[in-house]
Every structure is written in C-alpha cells, then in structure tokens.
C-alpha cells in the first residue's frame, strides 16, 4: 500500500546516495563500469556474475532491491569478482585487490553508520509479505 511505497522510495534514495558516493571516489574508478570484454576477453569465462556501480544504479532505478541486504549481495559481487579474477602476487593484481577490499570495507562502514536497523526490518517485512 502507499506506506510501503513510501518506505521503498526512501530505500532507493538511500541506496542511490551510497552508490553515487562510491562512484565519485577515485579509488573505485575501475568499479564504475562493467569490465570491458574487449580489454579483458576471458573475463566472462572466469566471472559468472559481473557487477559494477553503474549496474547497481540501474538495478535501483528498476526497483530490483526491496531490502539493503539484497543491494549488499549484488554490491559484494563487485569486490568478490575483482579478488577472483586478479589472484596473482604481481603488483597489478595486488593493487586491484587492495581497491576491492577498500570498496568492501567502505560499503560496510557506510551501512553500519547510516542505516537505521528498524528501517531495514520494515523493508524485510515488506519483502516477506510479497
Ligand atoms: C575491475 C576489474 N576487474 O578485473 C579487471 C581486470 C578489472 C579492471 C579492468 C580495467 N579495464 S576496463 O576497460 O575493463 C575498465 C576501465 C574503466 C572502468 C571500468 C573498467 C581497468 C582496471 C583498472 O584497475 O584500472 C581493472
């Protein structure tokens, strides 16, 4: 009903704000767009669920997320994919893994600091009712 739509509108604003702040952080530039398959031809042979910040934003706009937990599950693919595709000890791999870990920690810190757990509980009630 209307109150539920008000809650989900507020959720989308919260998730867009987080995603836009991450996209503005220069450390995370490589995560702003899908990995370019022209540049990285074997990427889709290794990574089964590509994810990036622009795709998160599209998903938000398409009302894909009803809870912060669902958003986090997709956001986690961004850094998990980077760790999986770049496992080697050479400086390039280490550097992208460092940025991936910074992304993971930054998302969690923002959610811990800015998400009201009562709000997330209401979102989870809406998810269970659908
Ligand atoms: C992410 C990722 N996961 O595996 C790899 C490998 C990367 C990755 C991919 C690219 N090149 S790219 O053309 O696909 C691209 C450029 C700008 C934004 C988004 C993607 C650059 C870098 C980088 O560190 O600069 C990293």
């Amino acid at each position: 009903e209307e109150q539920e739509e008000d809650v989900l509108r507020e959720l989308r604003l919260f998730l867009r704000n987080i995603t836009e702040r991450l996209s503005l952080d220069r450390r995370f530039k490589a995560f702003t767009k899908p990995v370019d398959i022209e540049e990285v031809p074997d990427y889709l042979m290794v990574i089964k669920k590509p994810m990036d910040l622009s795709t998160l934003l599209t998903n938000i706009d398409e009302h894909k997320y009803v809870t912060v937990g669902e958003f986090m599950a997709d956001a986690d693919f961004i850094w998990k994919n980077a760790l999986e595709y770049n496992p080697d000890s050479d400086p390039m791999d280490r550097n992208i893994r460092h940025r991936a870990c910074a992304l993971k920690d930054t998302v969690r810190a923002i959610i811990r600091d800015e998400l009201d757990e009562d709000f997330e509980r209401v979102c989870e009630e809406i998810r269970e009712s659908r």
Side-chain angles (χ1 to χ4, degrees):
E1 80 266 13
E2 196 41 46
Q3 289 83 340
E4 287 192 359
E5 287 318 306
D6 292 341
V7 169
L8 296 183
R9 191 174 310 108
E10 185 171 348
L11 173 69
R12 291 193 295 274
L13 289 170
F14 176 67
L15 297 181
R16 269 192 212 97
N17 175 266
I18 296 175
T19 306
E20 280 155 6
R21 284 152 64 185
L22 294 169
S23 303
L24 291 172
D25 188 322
R26 290 198 322 278
R27 291 176 296 169
F28 305 141
K29 176 160 178 30
F31 305 121
T32 56
K33 293 273 179 271
V35 171
D36 185 335
I37 302 310
E38 314 272 306
E39 297 250 332
V40 191
D42 71 336
Y43 190 74
L44 296 181
M45 286 184 258
V46 177
I47 297 301
K48 295 309 160 206
K49 189 172 173 175
M51 187 50 62
D52 69 281
L53 294 168
S54 70
T55 302
L56 283 183
L57 219 42
T58 301
N59 290 348
I60 293 165
D61 292 346
E62 292 177 350
H63 297 200
K64 177 179 175 186
Y65 306 122
V66 174
T67 70
V68 175
E70 291 173 346
F71 168 84
M72 290 272 288
D74 271 358
D76 283 351
F77 278 112
I78 301 174
W79 59 266
K80 283 178 181 171
N81 290 346
L83 298 184
E84 181 180 352
Y85 187 79
N86 303 280
D88 302 336
S89 65
D90 66 83
M92 285 286 287
D93 280 28
R94 285 181 190 272
N95 184 269
I96 182 93
R97 291 203 305 273
H98 181 72
R99 286 178 273 150
C101 294
L103 178 68
K104 170 190 177 186
D105 293 343
T106 303
V107 173
R108 273 159 176 70
I110 291 174
I111 302 278
R112 187 200 58 229
D113 293 350
E114 301 178 23
L115 173 66
D116 181 320
E117 55 195 40
D118 293 336
F119 180 81
E120 174 66 355
R121 248 193 297 279
V122 171
C123 293
E124 283 160 1
E125 292 297 315
I126 294 172
R127 169 52 80 211
E128 281 146 25
S129 76
R130 295 194 172 189

